[in-house]
Amino acid sequence: MNTIEALSMEELRRQFNRTGLRFTPQREAVWRIFEGNPDGLTISQVTVILAPQKIGQATVYRTIRALQDMGYLKWVHEQTGEHRFVVSRSGHSHMLVCRVCSKAVECSDCDLSVLEKLIARQTGFTVEGHHLEFFGLCPDCS
Amino acid sequence: MNTIEALSMEELRRQFNRTGLRFTPQREAVWRIFEGNPDGLTISQVTVILAPQKIGQATVYRTIRALQDMGYLKWVHEQTGEHRFVVSRSGHSHMLVCRVCSKAVECSDCDLSVLEKLIARQTGFTVEGHHLEFFGLCPDCS
DNA sequence: TTATTAAATGATAACATTTTTCATATAGAG
DNA sequence: CTCTATATGAAAAATGTTATCATTTAATAA
């Protein structure tokens, strides 16, 4: 579903540097965790995984926020209300989450522009964007 | 936008009782707060408003959760990450939130069924539902 | 390479949010 | 009116997030 090729570490470093941020071993470690877990992780999960490497939770929070700001991570809602963060390879996209196994896939060809125009006309709002999340059952859990 | 008539207190009481829950003065007070604030409130705002009436925050939490489970409240994201709860009078609907003044309106004629079918075909998922939130500028803030 | 410096780190504290506990009160049913 | 399971409120506990600050270090430029 509209997947662009994997991001190289050097590319990611450039993305960080472009905005005046530094690409540290800790940040690389956080990114690797997400790359290795396509269905996403909560902040607390990442914190636990990286604790043995002595990477503090403050760093995890800061890095996830940075990756999110750069558009490399998207979040979806957990049933618990917690946020789970998932790697996003396409630009703007929506998440589709399995209610049972929490598998998450990205779908980016969902065109809501027609809907946005309709809503704009009906409400008088200037619609700037949206957050859309689908949930259901993945093929394995169906 | 597809608004059904206001919910009477007796009706709300029946809804509570139907699920084995009790309709208490505290729960009525919480509901009244939401009815009087169409743009919604965060939990902490409700807590502050009801503090003089000596309604504990635990009760606020419990009541909001119940109202949410019954479908009478929907939440939208605050820029802070906090949830703001808004009365929902139509069955399924989407929220449209102003980035500046936080005005929130509901729009329920957004038909995503076509999109859901498309996604189902592309991913193999059984799509059960979605959460959709629009944001932008309300007419006053444009 | 090396020096410089602004940003990042991690430990801790501070803060905020949410849930639990439990003795007491009370809504709803009979 | 009585009875009982549920709700309440106050406080504590648990959980989640942000801020602080001395120290380290990535990136830049000499």
Side-chain angles (χ1 to χ4, degrees), chain B residues 13 17 22-23 57-58 61 65:
Chain B
R13 173 190 302 277
N17 293 345
R22 293 178 182 173
F23 192 64
Q57 55 174 6
Y61 274 93
R65 175 168 304 173

Side-chain angles (χ1 to χ4, degrees), chain B residues 64-93:
Chain B
I64 287 178
R65 175 168 304 173
L67 288 168
Q68 210 186 344
D69 289 347
M70 293 188 294
Y72 291 130
L73 289 181
K74 285 201 175 305
W75 52 261
V76 295
H77 267 88
E78 286 292 80
Q79 42 288 67
T80 61
E82 228 180 342
H83 281 173
R84 184 151 49 96
F85 295 89
V86 187
V87 170
S88 170
R89 299 214 185 273
S90 44
H92 175 77
S93 66

Side-chain angles (χ1 to χ4, degrees), chain B residues 4-131:
Chain B
I4 64 177
E5 79 260 37
L7 190 67
S8 81
M9 278 303 167
E10 274 318 305
E11 241 176 301
L12 187 59
R13 173 190 302 277
R14 275 195 294 278
Q15 282 300 332
F16 269 91
N17 293 345
R18 187 161 304 157
T19 37
L21 300 176
R22 293 178 182 173
F23 192 64
T24 64
Q26 291 90 338
R27 288 180 173 174
E28 181 173 339
V30 170
W31 177 248
R32 284 191 192 284
I33 297 298
F34 280 106
E35 279 202 314
N37 291 275
D39 290 339
L41 299 149
T42 62
I43 287 185
S44 62
Q45 289 176 316
V46 177
T47 303
V48 169
I49 293 172
L50 292 179
Q53 300 177 44
K54 295 277 174 297
I55 293 179
Q57 55 174 6
T59 298
V60 174
Y61 274 93
R62 290 184 277 233
T63 302
I64 287 178
R65 175 168 304 173
L67 288 168
Q68 210 186 344
D69 289 347
M70 293 188 294
Y72 291 130
L73 289 181
K74 285 201 175 305
W75 52 261
V76 295
H77 267 88
E78 286 292 80
Q79 42 288 67
T80 61
E82 228 180 342
H83 281 173
R84 184 151 49 96
F85 295 89
V86 187
V87 170
S88 170
R89 299 214 185 273
S90 44
H92 175 77
S93 66
H94 307 118
M95 287 309 201
L96 176 50
V97 186
C98 179
R99 170 165 60 80
V100 176
C101 71
S102 294
K103 180 194 291 298
V105 308
E106 204 173 20
C107 44
S108 55
D109 358 81
C110 325
D111 185 14
L112 290 191
S113 58
V114 176
L115 207 46
E116 286 192 354
K117 283 201 190 76
L118 176 70
I119 290 169
R121 199 164 58 238
Q122 288 181 334
T123 63
F125 265 65
T126 304
V127 182
E128 296 180 328
H130 59 260
H131 178 83

Side-chain angles (χ1 to χ4, degrees), chain A residues 59-106:
Chain A
T59 299
V60 173
Y61 274 93
R62 289 185 278 233
T63 303
I64 287 177
R65 174 169 303 174
L67 288 168
Q68 209 186 345
D69 289 345
M70 292 189 295
Y72 292 130
L73 288 181
K74 285 199 175 306
W75 54 261
V76 295
H77 266 89
E78 287 290 82
Q79 42 287 65
T80 61
E82 227 180 342
H83 281 173
R84 184 151 48 95
F85 294 89
V86 186
V87 170
S88 170
R89 299 213 184 274
S90 44
H92 175 76
S93 66
H94 307 117
M95 287 308 197
L96 176 50
V97 185
C98 179
R99 170 165 61 80
V100 176
C101 70
S102 293
K103 180 194 290 298
V105 308
E106 203 173 22

